[in-house]
Amino acid sequence: FKDDFSTSPHLFTPMSPYDLELPIQASSQLSQSKELHTDFSSVDLSFLPDVTQDNKEQNLSEDGQETQKELDGSLSSKEESGVFMNESSLSHPGAAQPPPETPGVCPPLTPMTPITPATSASESSGIVPQLQNIVSTVNLACKLDLKNIALHARNAEYNPKRFAAVIMRIREPRTTALIFSSGKMVCTGAKSEEQSRLAARKYARVVQKLGFPAKFLEFKIQNMVGSCDVRFPIRLESLVLTHQQFSSYEPELFPGLVYRMVKPRIVLLIFVSGKVVLTGAKDRSEIYEAFENIYPILRGFKKPS
Amino acid sequence: MAARGRCPECGSGSLVEDAHYAQQQLVCAACGCVLSEGLLTTTYTDEEHLREVAYSQSTGQKEQLSRCLQRGIRRVQDLCKVLKLPAAFEETAVSYFQRALELPAFHLVSLEKKELLGGCCVLVTCRQRRWPLTMGTVCSLLYAKQELFASVFLSLQRELGLSVPALSLADLVTTHLSSFRLVQPNANIPAPFLEDKEQLVARTMAIVELASDTWLVTGRHPVPVVTAAAFLAWQSLRPGPRLSCPLARFCHLAGVELPPPAQLRLKELLEILLAMASQLSWLRGFCLDKKTVVKHIGDLLQHRLFLLKRAFSQQDTGLGMSSVSQECQGSGLPSSPAVPQQQGCPSAGQQQQRGTLKPLLPPCLLHPRKRLRAAAPSAASAALTGDEPISDSEIEQYLRSPEEIRAFRRAKAWS
């Protein structure tokens, strides 16, 4: 990934007032200390639909289980919690304190919390991006006979001339998996991290029932895609002029503007209708953070012709 | 350093290797006798044994361009000549090409991609110097697939870290229209259809600006917009004989291809113009349709800022204004067209008919094709932890029964 600041100086346009770096002073410090992007202090959970008690408990129960380099993976370490305690003081002053549902553990170590930028509460968009797709990988840790699987499973397709993996689908959660002969598996189509994990476990179970000694190792979310609507049209030509170093708008190729945000490292597709697609996240908070970063920028272009 | 052997003349052992005018010589330090000297010319076999710098390590090797690079540079130069670009463009494009080809991302790609790389370098150069070259033109010159060209272009931008400014529509209008046969007096085109280039360019430019103000250009391919705008401009400059000529025939006369989206752009432009015409006082009496509004494009363009404000509800004026009766509208406005009428309207007249106006939005918002998605996920899925127990029956529904397997094997699905 090439840092766009390396373009030659004379082509560098001065940053607009809606500088990427400014609104997220606090959150940038938070994220830099934790390379796995976990555990930001929750500032305002009220508009999140699916952050519940269960999610928080899930994180705590992960300790003894198979190694997961996932979002919640680092919860067990005490020093993380310690660092987190300090950083919770950096949290947004206007935010509601999260309810202490897990006594004895420091306040919400959920990975599901968003970051509102530290500038001001009034700039928070009130719009929450919806997750549309989660791609995850898991290692079943045994060699698989793909022909055998395709013969014995109803929901599998296998066309070795076209692609060297079995394509398996399950109905609930509605997902698709690519299962390779090395034992590695890719699971796509889930709408949340838990759904992706549950689906991956179901696929592993199917493989187990087919007679293979499948395990469930190194489950990791690789990519998350979210989308939302800012509800006003956007002048893409102006956006590409003011944010030249991050944007790529080629109407001859694609109707949307491709905005490569540096922090967090997310790619946003911005369309003239105001719809925004965010992708490239390993954690849900990155999507929320990216949207909160882009919203004030887009607001600057909300104007009549 | 001393060499082995003894001087044949004086017998001393102190032999020195020295260079006499860059010619290597083996000289006795005592008597100055030259034992042997290096050859000024060497054979290839000799060179292998010399301790001089090998050719592969000398700078001569690096200065020589690889054949691939030479071919690519020639391609870039040919492209620049075909497009009649200034000489400075050629140098820049060649330098970009050389830089790009050294990078691992482009060095090991297929030859097809290397050809496209040359085209991309030319395109980037033109964009940076505000020369309106479209990707379609370059693709057709290189017989390239649009998707492949797009991927090479984007990766070139990324690898070299170039900032490529957007295609300027104003320049595109000028260049595109110059290629029209209708503006060239020598072409054998019926007289009513010939048009003066300056006038056509000016009016097309105004229509394109109108289109970009009304959200018809953002996110769309620029060439069909220019084509549709040129058609309307051409028709409006002399409506009499030209109104009956359809867009397809116009493109045929002009000697350009009709891009498929141009018909849709034309429709959208006419809708905008009709809405504007409904605000122009001396046209309100007429019942205009898509054909007849063309005759008044000149007037509409002249007052377009005012008409746009009146015809469409802008976002900041809000939709809360009530609509007042039509009489205010007819009586309040002075009849002189030349005076901009923003201040002239009575306040009541301004508030009228805002409620009946269409909002000024991109067409994709005015005519949404997809139905809006369901909002948040349900509460049941919200409570998911990912660690729920998985029932055997659920898994077994995905496994084939023995009869099925037998039947499948018999069918031999994969042989």
Side-chain angles (χ1 to χ4, degrees):
Chain A
F1 176 72
K2 194 150 182 133
D3 189 355
D4 288 304
F5 289 103
S6 62
T7 54
S8 52
H10 74 274
L11 294 170
F12 181 85
T13 54
M15 293 277 219
S16 73
Y18 297 106
D19 194 323
L20 265 193
E21 303 297 301
L22 294 176
I24 47 167
Q25 295 296 343
S27 49
S28 63
Q29 291 162 26
L30 289 171
S31 58
Q32 271 157 16
S33 63
K34 296 190 202 301
E35 64 218 6
L36 297 177
H37 303 285
T38 60
D39 321 322
F40 299 100
S41 64
S42 73
V43 269
D44 186 4
L45 296 176
S46 56
F47 52 92
L48 265 194
D50 50 357
V51 174
T52 61
Q53 172 95 5
D54 300 338
N55 289 334
K56 296 172 193 163
E57 279 168 0
Q58 172 213 353
N59 303 328
L60 301 169
S61 66
E62 290 302 331
D63 288 357
Q65 292 190 355
E66 58 265 16
T67 55
Q68 295 184 35
K69 301 193 184 60
E70 207 191 344
L71 13 128
D72 43 66
S74 64
L75 270 177
S76 43
S77 68
K78 283 291 175 196
E79 61 251 20
E80 293 267 25
S81 331
V83 172
F84 182 80
M85 285 300 275
N86 296 335
E87 290 173 336
S88 57
S89 60
L90 287 175
S91 70
H92 193 282
Q97 277 306 309
E101 289 176 2
T102 55
V105 185
C106 47
L109 303 178
T110 62
M112 318 301 177
T113 58
I115 291 288
T116 48
T119 42
S120 67
S122 61
E123 290 215 24
S124 167
S125 61
I127 303 172
V128 184
Q130 295 298 317
L131 290 180
Q132 302 295 344
N133 184 25
I134 313 271
V135 177
S136 56
T137 53
V138 72
N139 187 3
L140 302 176
C142 65
K143 291 275 169 279
L144 302 173
D145 180 354
L146 297 185
K147 261 200 181 166
N148 195 310
I149 293 178
L151 175 64
H152 287 89
R154 281 191 187 134
N155 55 344
E157 62 182 81
Y158 179 50
N159 194 345
K161 290 193 193 116
R162 211 173 57 173
F163 191 55
V166 162
I167 302 168
M168 196 181 281
R169 297 184 164 89
I170 57 174
R171 280 182 279 274
E172 182 55 47
R174 201 159 72 88
T175 49
T176 305
L178 303 175
I179 306 176
F180 293 84
S181 55
S182 60
K184 300 264 173 73
M185 183 171 82
V186 181
C187 174
T188 63
K191 298 273 193 219
S192 77
E193 301 90 323
E194 302 83 19
Q195 276 188 18
S196 191
R197 191 174 141 73
L198 179 60
R201 283 175 56 225
K202 289 191 183 176
Y203 288 113
R205 261 311 187 81
V206 171
V207 171
Q208 269 177 357
K209 285 226 182 266
L210 290 172
F212 297 94
K215 302 205 254 298
F216 195 77
L217 306 181
E218 299 156 12
F219 175 79
K220 183 178 179 198
I221 306 271
Q222 299 290 354
N223 186 26
M224 300 174 78
V225 181
S227 73
C228 57
D229 189 358
V230 299
R231 303 201 174 283
F232 52 83
I234 302 168
R235 288 268 171 214
L236 301 178
E237 314 88 0
S238 321
L239 181 58
V240 75
L241 283 176
T242 49
H243 289 78
Q244 206 175 20
Q245 58 270 49
F246 306 108
S247 327
S248 159
Y249 170 55
E250 297 288 339
E252 296 176 84
L253 294 180
F254 188 64
L257 186 149
V258 180
Y259 192 103
R260 293 181 192 272
M261 195 175 279
V262 174
K263 185 138 189 44
R265 204 183 125 191
I266 299 282
V267 174
L268 299 94
L269 303 177
I270 304 169
F271 295 90
V272 67
S273 56
K275 304 231 172 22
V276 180
V277 174
L278 307 100
T279 182
K282 291 270 194 288
D283 186 289
R284 187 189 279 244
S285 59
E286 290 178 10
I287 294 208
Y288 296 145
E289 188 187 341
F291 181 69
E292 291 301 322
N293 289 347
I294 201 78
Y295 189 71
I297 296 172
L298 297 180
R299 276 272 293 276
F301 292 95
K302 173 185 179 175
K303 55 182 191 282
S305 65
Chain B
M1 66 184 181
R4 302 160 295 280
R6 293 195 159 273
C7 170
E9 295 239 353
C10 65
S12 109
S14 56
L15 300 176
V16 187
E17 269 196 22
D18 195 10
H20 176 68
Y21 296 121
Q23 185 189 31
Q24 286 293 111
Q25 288 179 339
L26 196 60
V27 182
C28 170
C31 65
C33 156
V34 176
L35 276 79
S36 66
E37 50 191 4
L39 300 168
L40 286 174
T41 59
T42 51
T43 61
Y44 190 73
T45 44
D46 284 342
E47 270 188 67
E48 282 178 333
H49 301 299
L50 287 177
R51 276 173 292 166
E52 273 85 359
V53 177
Y55 181 71
S56 59
Q57 288 163 341
S58 69
T59 53
Q61 175 83 354
K62 289 195 187 111
E63 278 163 10
Q64 191 182 57
L65 299 171
S66 70
R67 222 177 301 175
C68 172
L69 193 55
Q70 283 175 347
R71 186 168 43 219
I73 291 175
R74 239 179 294 134
R75 197 70 153 143
V76 170
Q77 288 170 336
D78 291 342
L79 257 177
C80 293
K81 286 196 185 70
V82 166
L83 293 166
K84 301 201 187 102
L85 301 176
F89 286 37
E90 198 176 298
E91 289 162 26
T92 321
V94 167
S95 78
Y96 281 150
F97 185 75
Q98 276 185 294
R99 270 170 62 192
L101 212 55
E102 283 165 21
L103 297 171
F106 293 113
H107 198 55
L108 302 168
V109 298
S110 62
L111 284 176
E112 195 184 359
K113 272 196 173 173
K114 281 182 181 159
E115 288 205 358
L116 297 189
L117 184 62
C120 290
C121 293
V122 174
L123 182 66
V124 168
T125 313
C126 290
R127 283 276 191 94
Q128 288 179 337
R129 315 277 181 111
R130 293 189 57 99
W131 187 278
L133 180 65
T134 58
M135 290 193 194
T137 312
V138 182
C139 280
S140 63
L141 284 175
L142 294 174
Y143 305 108
K145 289 178 282 205
Q146 176 88 320
E147 302 90 36
L148 198 58
F149 186 83
S151 73
V152 177
F153 177 73
L154 292 173
S155 54
L156 174 72
Q157 212 176 346
R158 194 176 41 242
E159 294 287 329
L160 287 186
L162 301 168
S163 108
V164 181
L167 187 61
S168 135
L169 264 173
D171 298 334
L172 181 63
V173 165
T174 320
T175 321
H176 197 56
L177 292 189
S178 325
S179 67
F180 279 18
R181 283 205 327 245
L182 296 164
V183 300
Q184 292 155 14
N186 306 329
N188 47 344
I189 288 177
F193 293 158
L194 274 177
E195 186 54 65
D196 171 45
K197 184 169 152 191
E198 306 301 324
Q199 280 199 338
L200 187 61
V201 167
R203 189 159 278 199
T204 309
M205 207 83 95
I207 297 182
V208 166
E209 275 174 31
L210 174 69
S212 87
D213 285 341
T214 52
W215 298 102
L216 296 184
V217 167
T218 311
R220 269 94 173 272
H221 201 290
V223 173
V225 180
V226 173
T227 312
F231 175 62
L232 281 178
W234 175 77
Q235 275 192 327
S236 69
L237 283 171
R238 203 169 148 184
R242 296 176 184 173
L243 262 183
S244 53
C245 176
L247 179 60
R249 184 149 177 248
F250 168 77
C251 289
H252 180 71
L253 285 169
V256 295
E257 271 180 24
L258 171 61
Q263 293 278 7
L264 284 167
R265 301 295 158 264
L266 185 62
K267 203 165 73 118
E268 287 164 359
L269 271 171
L270 285 169
E271 274 172 19
I272 301 280
L273 289 168
L274 276 170
M276 286 165 69
S278 68
Q279 292 306 308
L280 206 51
S281 49
W282 63 94
L283 289 181
R284 229 173 272 115
F286 298 107
C287 188
L288 291 174
D289 70 356
K290 292 193 172 175
K291 286 280 184 192
T292 46
V293 74
V294 177
K295 292 187 243 181
H296 307 281
I297 284 182
D299 291 334
L300 293 174
L301 289 175
Q302 195 177 1
H303 305 289
R304 69 168 183 270
L305 288 173
F306 165 69
L307 292 172
L308 280 179
K309 278 207 190 91
R310 303 257 323 167
F312 297 100
S313 70
Q314 311 292 333
Q315 283 190 328
D316 62 352
T317 58
L319 302 160
M321 309 236 193
S322 57
S323 70
V324 180
S325 63
Q326 296 278 69
E327 289 92 15
C328 295
Q329 168 194 14
S331 59
L333 299 170
S335 54
S336 156
V339 178
Q341 298 174 355
Q342 285 110 353
Q343 306 86 8
C345 299
S347 54
Q350 268 185 356
Q351 286 184 11
Q352 48 152 328
Q353 62 178 210
R354 285 284 186 261
T356 60
L357 290 179
K358 288 182 295 188
L360 190 58
L361 289 175
C364 55
L365 286 178
L366 289 175
H367 312 288
R369 273 192 247 165
K370 283 189 190 174
R371 53 184 176 79
L372 299 167
R373 280 205 195 110
S378 63
S381 59
L384 210 57
T385 64
D387 282 320
E388 278 89 1
I390 302 169
S391 65
D392 278 347
S393 54
E394 188 186 347
I395 300 297
E396 264 147 33
Q397 70 172 314
Y398 294 119
L399 303 179
R400 285 207 172 109
S401 63
E403 302 85 43
E404 280 180 47
I405 296 175
R406 259 179 265 129
F408 216 83
R409 272 220 182 91
R410 246 179 278 129
K412 284 194 183 159
W414 303 266
S415 53

